[in-house]
Protein backbone atom coordinates (compact mmCIF):
# COMPACT_ATOMS: atom_id res chain seq x y z
CA UNK A 1 0.00 0.00 0.00
CA UNK A 2 1.63 3.28 -1.01
CA UNK A 3 2.13 5.87 1.64
CA UNK A 4 0.74 9.13 0.29
CA UNK A 5 3.24 11.17 2.21
CA UNK A 6 5.97 9.66 0.05
CA UNK A 7 4.26 11.05 -3.03
CA UNK A 8 4.66 14.58 -1.80
CA UNK A 9 8.18 14.29 -0.61
CA UNK A 10 9.02 17.50 -2.48
CA UNK A 11 7.01 19.41 0.11
CA UNK A 12 9.43 19.02 2.97
CA UNK A 13 9.00 21.60 5.76
CA UNK A 14 11.82 23.83 4.50
CA UNK A 15 10.20 24.05 1.10
CA UNK A 16 6.85 24.89 2.65
CA UNK A 17 8.42 27.64 4.73
CA UNK A 18 10.12 29.08 1.63
CA UNK A 19 6.91 28.96 -0.38
CA UNK A 20 5.01 30.62 2.44
CA UNK A 21 7.60 33.39 2.58
CA UNK A 22 7.64 33.96 -1.18
CA UNK A 23 3.86 34.17 -1.32
CA UNK A 24 3.83 36.59 1.60
CA UNK A 25 6.34 38.77 -0.31
CA UNK A 26 4.19 38.78 -3.45
CA UNK A 27 1.10 39.52 -1.35
CA UNK A 28 2.55 42.92 -0.55
CA UNK A 29 2.22 43.80 -4.23
CA UNK A 30 -1.41 42.83 -4.71
CA UNK A 31 -4.91 43.82 -3.64
CA UNK A 32 -6.39 40.35 -3.81
CA UNK A 33 -5.76 36.65 -4.33
CA UNK A 34 -7.17 34.30 -6.92
CA UNK A 35 -7.27 30.77 -5.60
CA UNK A 36 -7.65 28.11 -8.26
CA UNK A 37 -9.18 24.85 -7.13
CA UNK A 38 -10.40 21.79 -9.00
CA UNK A 39 -14.19 21.95 -9.28
CA UNK A 40 -14.41 18.17 -8.76
CA UNK A 41 -12.70 18.38 -5.37
CA UNK A 42 -12.78 21.99 -4.14
CA UNK A 43 -11.98 21.00 -0.56
CA UNK A 44 -9.19 18.52 -1.26
CA UNK A 45 -7.57 20.76 -3.86
CA UNK A 46 -7.37 23.78 -1.60
CA UNK A 47 -4.49 24.56 0.68
CA UNK A 48 -5.04 24.12 4.41
CA UNK A 49 -3.06 27.22 5.34
CA UNK A 50 -4.12 29.65 2.66
CA UNK A 51 -6.49 31.78 4.72
CA UNK A 52 -3.78 32.17 7.34
CA UNK A 53 -1.15 33.07 4.72
CA UNK A 54 -3.25 35.67 2.93
CA UNK A 55 -4.66 36.99 6.20
CA UNK A 56 -7.39 39.52 5.36
CA UNK A 57 -6.69 39.97 1.64
CA UNK A 58 -9.85 39.51 -0.42
CA UNK A 59 -9.99 36.18 -2.25
CA UNK A 60 -11.74 34.97 -5.38
CA UNK A 61 -12.11 31.24 -5.92
CA UNK A 62 -11.99 29.88 -9.46
CA UNK A 63 -13.63 26.46 -9.58
CA UNK A 64 -11.60 25.33 -12.57
CA UNK A 65 -12.12 22.27 -14.79
CA UNK A 66 -15.85 22.77 -14.32
CA UNK A 67 -16.22 20.96 -17.65
CA UNK A 68 -15.40 17.73 -15.79
CA UNK A 69 -17.54 18.37 -12.69
CA UNK A 70 -21.24 17.96 -12.02
CA UNK A 71 -22.64 21.44 -12.66
CA UNK A 72 -25.33 21.08 -9.97
CA UNK A 73 -22.70 20.34 -7.36
CA UNK A 74 -20.53 23.20 -8.62
CA UNK A 75 -23.51 25.53 -8.12
CA UNK A 76 -23.78 24.29 -4.53
CA UNK A 77 -20.11 25.14 -4.02
CA UNK A 78 -20.62 28.65 -5.41
CA UNK A 79 -23.48 29.15 -2.92
CA UNK A 80 -21.37 27.71 -0.12
CA UNK A 81 -18.55 30.17 -0.80
CA UNK A 82 -21.04 33.05 -1.13
CA UNK A 83 -22.36 32.26 2.36
CA UNK A 84 -18.82 32.62 3.63
CA UNK A 85 -18.53 35.97 1.85
CA UNK A 86 -16.20 34.60 -0.84
CA UNK A 87 -16.87 35.20 -4.54
CA UNK A 88 -16.50 31.98 -6.51
CA UNK A 89 -17.03 31.33 -10.21
CA UNK A 90 -17.02 28.15 -12.28
CA UNK A 91 -14.51 28.24 -15.11
CA UNK A 92 -12.89 26.03 -17.73
CA UNK A 93 -9.48 27.48 -18.46
CA UNK A 94 -8.95 25.04 -21.31
CA UNK A 95 -11.69 26.64 -23.39
CA UNK A 96 -12.15 29.91 -21.51
CA UNK A 97 -15.73 29.10 -20.51
CA UNK A 98 -16.93 31.12 -17.51
CA UNK A 99 -14.07 33.61 -17.66
CA UNK A 100 -16.45 36.31 -18.88
CA UNK A 101 -17.55 36.51 -15.23
CA UNK A 102 -14.02 37.13 -14.02
CA UNK A 103 -14.07 40.92 -14.28
CA UNK A 104 -17.30 41.34 -12.31
CA UNK A 105 -16.11 38.78 -9.73
CA UNK A 106 -12.95 40.85 -9.18
CA UNK A 107 -14.91 44.06 -8.80
CA UNK A 108 -17.34 42.41 -6.38
CA UNK A 109 -14.64 40.85 -4.23
CA UNK A 110 -12.65 44.08 -4.11
CA UNK A 111 -15.53 46.52 -3.73
CA UNK A 112 -14.09 47.85 -0.45
CA UNK A 113 -10.68 48.43 -2.09
CA UNK A 114 -12.36 50.25 -5.00
CA UNK A 115 -14.27 52.38 -2.50
CA UNK A 116 -11.12 53.16 -0.53
CA UNK A 117 -9.25 54.13 -3.71
CA UNK A 118 -12.10 56.47 -4.60
CA UNK A 119 -11.97 58.15 -1.19
CA UNK A 120 -8.25 58.66 -1.63
CA UNK A 121 -8.81 60.29 -5.01
CA UNK A 122 -7.35 57.29 -6.84
CA UNK A 123 -10.42 56.19 -8.72
CA UNK A 124 -9.62 53.74 -11.49
CA UNK A 125 -6.38 52.54 -9.88
CA UNK A 126 -5.75 49.05 -11.28
CA UNK A 127 -6.69 46.15 -9.04
CA UNK A 128 -3.80 43.75 -8.72
CA UNK A 129 -4.01 40.03 -8.10
CA UNK A 130 -1.82 37.02 -7.66
CA UNK A 131 -2.81 33.47 -8.54
CA UNK A 132 -2.31 30.64 -6.06
CA UNK A 133 -3.19 26.96 -5.92
CA UNK A 134 -1.87 23.48 -5.47
CA UNK A 135 -0.14 21.82 -8.47
CA UNK A 136 -2.20 20.88 -11.51
CA UNK A 137 -5.30 22.93 -10.73
CA UNK A 138 -4.78 25.06 -13.85
CA UNK A 139 -2.87 28.12 -12.68
CA UNK A 140 -0.66 28.28 -15.79
CA UNK A 141 -3.63 27.62 -18.06
CA UNK A 142 -5.47 30.53 -16.46
CA UNK A 143 -2.52 32.94 -16.62
CA UNK A 144 -1.67 31.94 -20.20
CA UNK A 145 -5.24 32.40 -21.28
CA UNK A 146 -5.45 35.84 -19.69
CA UNK A 147 -1.99 36.81 -20.91
CA UNK A 148 -2.88 35.68 -24.41
CA UNK A 149 -5.99 37.79 -24.37
CA UNK A 150 -4.48 40.93 -22.95
CA UNK A 151 -1.15 42.65 -23.26
CA UNK A 152 1.61 42.62 -20.68
CA UNK A 153 1.77 45.76 -18.59
CA UNK A 154 5.12 47.52 -18.61
CA UNK A 155 6.40 47.14 -15.11
CA UNK A 156 7.98 50.38 -14.00
CA UNK A 157 6.10 50.77 -10.78
CA UNK A 158 7.71 50.70 -7.39
CA UNK A 159 7.79 47.22 -5.96
CA UNK A 160 7.72 45.54 -9.34
CA UNK A 161 10.95 43.73 -9.92
CA UNK A 162 12.16 42.56 -13.30
CA UNK A 163 11.23 39.00 -12.48
CA UNK A 164 7.62 40.03 -11.97
CA UNK A 165 5.55 40.74 -15.00
CA UNK A 166 2.07 42.10 -14.83
CA UNK A 167 -0.64 41.32 -17.30
CA UNK A 168 -3.74 43.27 -17.89
CA UNK A 169 -6.52 40.76 -17.28
CA UNK A 170 -9.49 42.99 -17.96
CA UNK A 171 -10.49 46.60 -17.52
CA UNK A 172 -8.44 47.90 -14.60
CA UNK A 173 -7.30 44.43 -13.54
CA UNK A 174 -3.70 43.28 -13.43
CA UNK A 175 -2.33 39.84 -12.80
CA UNK A 176 1.09 38.82 -11.50
CA UNK A 177 2.53 36.38 -14.02
CA UNK A 178 4.07 33.95 -11.50
CA UNK A 179 1.61 31.82 -9.56
CA UNK A 180 2.09 30.75 -5.96
CA UNK A 181 2.32 26.97 -5.89
CA UNK A 182 0.85 25.68 -2.67
CA UNK A 183 1.00 22.23 -1.11
CA UNK A 184 -2.08 20.05 -0.57
CA UNK A 185 -3.30 18.53 2.70
CA UNK A 186 -1.12 15.54 2.01
CA UNK A 187 -1.32 14.09 5.49
CA UNK A 188 -4.95 13.18 4.86
CA UNK A 189 -5.37 9.85 3.05
CA UNK A 190 -8.79 10.72 1.65
CA UNK A 191 -7.38 13.90 0.14
CA UNK A 192 -4.45 11.92 -1.28
CA UNK A 193 -6.79 9.41 -2.87
CA UNK A 194 -8.90 12.10 -4.52
CA UNK A 195 -5.84 13.88 -5.88
CA UNK A 196 -4.64 10.55 -7.26
CA UNK A 197 -8.05 9.83 -8.85
CA UNK A 198 -8.00 13.06 -10.83
CA UNK A 199 -4.34 12.56 -11.78
CA UNK A 200 -2.83 15.30 -9.65
CA UNK A 201 -0.35 12.87 -8.15
CA UNK A 202 2.15 11.32 -10.52
CA UNK A 203 1.38 7.67 -11.14
CA UNK A 204 5.02 6.61 -11.01
CA UNK A 205 5.00 7.25 -7.29
CA UNK A 206 1.65 5.61 -6.73
CA UNK A 207 0.50 2.10 -7.41
CA UNK A 208 -2.00 2.50 -10.24
CA UNK A 209 -3.83 -0.69 -9.25
CA UNK A 210 -4.36 0.68 -5.75
CA UNK A 211 -5.66 3.97 -7.16
CA UNK A 212 -8.01 2.15 -9.54
CA UNK A 213 -9.32 -0.08 -6.75
CA UNK A 214 -9.97 2.85 -4.44
CA UNK A 215 -11.62 4.76 -7.28
CA UNK A 216 -13.87 1.80 -8.09
CA UNK A 217 -14.70 1.44 -4.40
CA UNK A 218 -15.74 5.11 -4.28
CA UNK A 219 -17.69 4.98 -7.53
CA UNK A 220 -19.44 1.69 -6.74
CA UNK A 221 -20.87 3.35 -3.62
CA UNK A 222 -21.62 6.82 -4.97
CA UNK A 223 -22.15 6.45 -8.72
CA UNK A 224 -22.51 2.73 -9.62
CA UNK A 225 -24.34 3.63 -12.82
CA UNK A 226 -21.15 5.20 -14.14
CA UNK A 227 -19.32 1.85 -13.87
CA UNK A 228 -22.28 -0.03 -15.24
CA UNK A 229 -22.67 2.19 -18.28
CA UNK A 230 -19.00 2.43 -19.13
CA UNK A 231 -17.91 -1.14 -18.49
CA UNK A 232 -21.17 -2.97 -19.11
CA UNK A 233 -20.97 -4.98 -15.92
CA UNK A 234 -23.75 -5.57 -13.38
CA UNK A 235 -24.23 -6.91 -9.84
CA UNK A 236 -20.92 -5.60 -8.59
CA UNK A 237 -22.14 -3.44 -5.71
CA UNK A 238 -21.38 -6.08 -3.08
CA UNK A 239 -18.07 -7.05 -4.59
CA UNK A 240 -14.60 -6.05 -3.41
CA UNK A 241 -12.96 -3.38 -5.53
CA UNK A 242 -10.29 -5.74 -6.91
CA UNK A 243 -13.05 -8.10 -7.99
CA UNK A 244 -14.70 -5.22 -9.88
CA UNK A 245 -11.36 -4.47 -11.50
CA UNK A 246 -11.12 -8.11 -12.57
CA UNK A 247 -14.64 -8.03 -13.98
CA UNK A 248 -13.69 -4.97 -16.02
CA UNK A 249 -10.47 -6.61 -17.22
CA UNK A 250 -12.33 -9.76 -18.23
CA UNK A 251 -15.02 -7.79 -20.03
CA UNK A 252 -12.37 -5.90 -21.98
CA UNK A 253 -10.47 -9.08 -22.76
CA UNK A 254 -7.32 -7.91 -20.95
CA UNK A 255 -5.72 -11.30 -20.45
CA UNK A 256 -2.16 -12.42 -19.95
CA UNK A 257 -0.57 -15.84 -20.41
CA UNK A 258 -2.56 -18.63 -18.85
CA UNK A 259 -5.82 -16.70 -19.08
CA UNK A 260 -5.03 -14.59 -16.04
CA UNK A 261 -6.56 -11.10 -16.02
CA UNK A 262 -4.19 -8.23 -16.71
CA UNK A 263 -5.28 -6.07 -13.79
CA UNK A 264 -2.53 -3.53 -14.43
CA UNK A 265 -3.92 -2.87 -17.89
CA UNK A 266 -7.46 -2.73 -16.51
CA UNK A 267 -6.36 -0.31 -13.77
CA UNK A 268 -4.63 1.94 -16.28
CA UNK A 269 -7.73 1.96 -18.47
CA UNK A 270 -10.02 2.80 -15.54
CA UNK A 271 -7.82 5.66 -14.33
CA UNK A 272 -7.19 7.09 -17.81
CA UNK A 273 -10.85 6.95 -18.73
CA UNK A 274 -11.98 8.49 -15.46
CA UNK A 275 -9.45 11.32 -15.82
CA UNK A 276 -10.40 11.83 -19.44
CA UNK A 277 -14.01 12.35 -18.39
CA UNK A 278 -15.16 9.20 -20.25
CA UNK A 279 -17.21 8.01 -17.29
CA UNK A 280 -19.09 11.29 -17.25
CA UNK A 281 -19.00 14.53 -15.30
CA UNK A 282 -18.49 13.89 -11.64
CA UNK A 283 -17.91 15.83 -8.43
CA UNK A 284 -16.25 13.89 -5.66
CA UNK A 285 -17.05 16.36 -2.88
CA UNK A 286 -20.12 18.17 -1.64
CA UNK A 287 -19.86 21.41 0.33
P1 LIG B 1 -0.89 24.25 -12.84
O1 LIG B 1 -0.22 25.41 -13.50
O2 LIG B 1 -1.82 24.68 -11.75
O3 LIG B 1 0.02 23.19 -12.37
O4 LIG B 1 -1.85 23.55 -13.93
P2 LIG B 1 -1.82 23.63 -15.53
O5 LIG B 1 -2.31 24.95 -16.00
O6 LIG B 1 -0.49 23.17 -16.01
O7 LIG B 1 -2.92 22.55 -15.89
C1 LIG B 1 -2.81 21.19 -15.52
C2 LIG B 1 -3.57 20.32 -16.51
O8 LIG B 1 -4.96 20.63 -16.42
C3 LIG B 1 -3.19 20.56 -17.97
O9 LIG B 1 -3.36 19.32 -18.63
C4 LIG B 1 -4.26 21.52 -18.46
O10 LIG B 1 -4.46 21.47 -19.85
C5 LIG B 1 -5.46 20.97 -17.72
N1 LIG B 1 -6.51 21.98 -17.52
C6 LIG B 1 -6.37 23.25 -17.03
N2 LIG B 1 -7.56 23.85 -16.96
C7 LIG B 1 -8.48 22.96 -17.39
C8 LIG B 1 -9.91 22.99 -17.52
O11 LIG B 1 -10.60 23.96 -17.19
N3 LIG B 1 -10.50 21.85 -17.99
C9 LIG B 1 -9.80 20.74 -18.33
N4 LIG B 1 -10.48 19.68 -18.77
N5 LIG B 1 -8.46 20.68 -18.20
C10 LIG B 1 -7.81 21.77 -17.74
P3 LIG B 1 -2.14 18.44 -19.06
O12 LIG B 1 -2.68 17.08 -19.35
O13 LIG B 1 -1.05 18.55 -18.06
O14 LIG B 1 -1.66 19.10 -20.35
P4 LIG B 1 -2.47 19.31 -21.73
O15 LIG B 1 -3.67 18.41 -21.70
O16 LIG B 1 -2.84 20.74 -21.77
O17 LIG B 1 -1.46 18.92 -22.75
Amino acid sequence: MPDFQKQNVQWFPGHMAKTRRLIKESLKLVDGVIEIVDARIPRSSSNPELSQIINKKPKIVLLNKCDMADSKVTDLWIKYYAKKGVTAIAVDCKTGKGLNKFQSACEKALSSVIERNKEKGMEGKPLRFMVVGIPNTGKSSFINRMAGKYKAVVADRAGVTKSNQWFSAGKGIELLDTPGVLWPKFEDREVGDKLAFIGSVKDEVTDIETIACRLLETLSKSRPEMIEQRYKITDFEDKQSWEILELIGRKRGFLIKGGEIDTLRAATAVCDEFRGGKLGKISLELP
Side-chain angles (χ1 to χ4, degrees):
M1 193 107 350
D3 173 1
F4 188 70
Q5 294 201 24
K6 283 194 206 124
Q7 298 154 17
N8 284 275
V9 73
Q10 74 270 27
W11 289 113
F12 54 90
H15 192 157
M16 277 156 59
K18 191 176 167 208
T19 302
R20 209 182 281 119
R21 199 177 63 241
L22 287 175
I23 292 179
K24 282 194 168 168
E25 282 299 311
S26 299
L27 276 172
K28 290 178 193 157
L29 309 173
V30 300
D31 302 295
V33 172
I34 294 158
E35 185 192 11
I36 308 204
V37 299
D38 190 304
R40 294 165 293 177
I41 49 168
R43 192 178 304 113
S44 294
S45 61
S46 78
N47 174 271
E49 277 186 45
L50 185 64
S51 56
Q52 196 199 330
I53 296 171
I54 67 173
N55 198 7
K56 291 200 172 71
K57 286 262 163 154
K59 180 176 88 168
I60 296 164
V61 173
L62 299 190
L63 294 153
N64 191 35
K65 309 197 187 184
C66 72
D67 54 308
M68 319 253 290
D70 180 336
S71 58
K72 286 195 197 93
V73 178
T74 302
D75 286 343
L76 292 178
W77 277 103
I78 293 172
K79 286 191 186 117
Y80 162 84
Y81 283 112
K83 263 193 192 154
K84 297 206 313 179
V86 175
T87 307
I89 55 170
V91 296
D92 166 359
C93 289
K94 218 163 177 170
T95 64
K97 193 178 152 236
L99 287 172
N100 56 340
K101 290 191 180 146
F102 178 66
Q103 172 99 24
S104 58
C106 291
E107 287 165 5
K108 190 175 167 205
L110 265 67
S111 56
S112 60
V113 177
I114 295 171
E115 209 44 53
R116 219 165 39 234
N117 287 344
K118 241 187 218 171
E119 281 164 17
K120 289 196 224 156
M122 294 192 292
E123 196 170 351
K125 184 175 179 244
L127 301 173
R128 293 179 293 181
F129 292 89
M130 77 174 294
V131 177
V132 299
I134 69 164
N136 216 41
T137 47
K139 296 175 294 302
S140 313
S141 304
F142 171 68
I143 292 173
N144 289 342
R145 186 155 275 281
M146 289 324 229
K149 206 165 156 197
Y150 302 98
K151 281 203 178 77
V153 178
V154 181
D156 59 356
R157 246 179 260 136
V160 179
T161 64
K162 268 200 188 131
S163 57
N164 285 331
Q165 259 221 308
W166 294 88
F167 286 98
S168 165
K171 205 167 149 261
I173 291 171
E174 291 179 8
L175 218 59
L176 190 62
D177 71 337
T178 332
V181 185
L182 294 160
W183 57 95
K185 292 173 223 175
F186 49 77
E187 65 285 356
D188 185 327
R189 187 189 121 174
E190 204 186 309
V191 170
D193 279 354
K194 287 177 186 164
L195 292 170
F197 296 165
I198 64 165
S200 261
V201 175
K202 290 221 174 1
D203 289 335
E204 305 94 76
V205 287
T206 325
D207 172 6
I208 190 95
E209 289 180 84
T210 305
I211 301 174
C213 282
R214 289 190 189 161
L215 175 61
L216 289 169
E217 191 185 331
T218 304
L219 293 180
S220 66
K221 283 184 201 137
S222 60
R223 301 289 299 274
E225 78 285 0
M226 279 190 154
I227 300 179
E228 201 172 321
Q229 281 159 18
R230 179 75 196 170
Y231 299 105
K232 313 286 181 236
I233 57 169
T234 49
D235 305 320
F236 53 83
E237 280 87 347
D238 298 328
K239 291 206 165 18
Q240 298 286 325
S241 55
W242 58 268
E243 292 176 299
I244 304 177
L245 187 65
E246 285 191 339
L247 282 176
I248 292 170
R250 190 177 298 284
K251 194 82 187 180
R252 288 271 172 104
F254 294 160
L255 302 176
I256 39 181
K257 250 193 198 156
E260 208 180 304
I261 296 159
D262 188 346
T263 46
L264 180 62
R265 197 167 159 208
T268 307
V270 167
C271 289
D272 283 352
E273 291 169 17
F274 178 78
R275 291 166 188 170
K278 301 236 169 67
L279 276 78
K281 291 174 192 263
I282 184 167
S283 295
L284 297 168
E285 283 174 350
L286 283 168

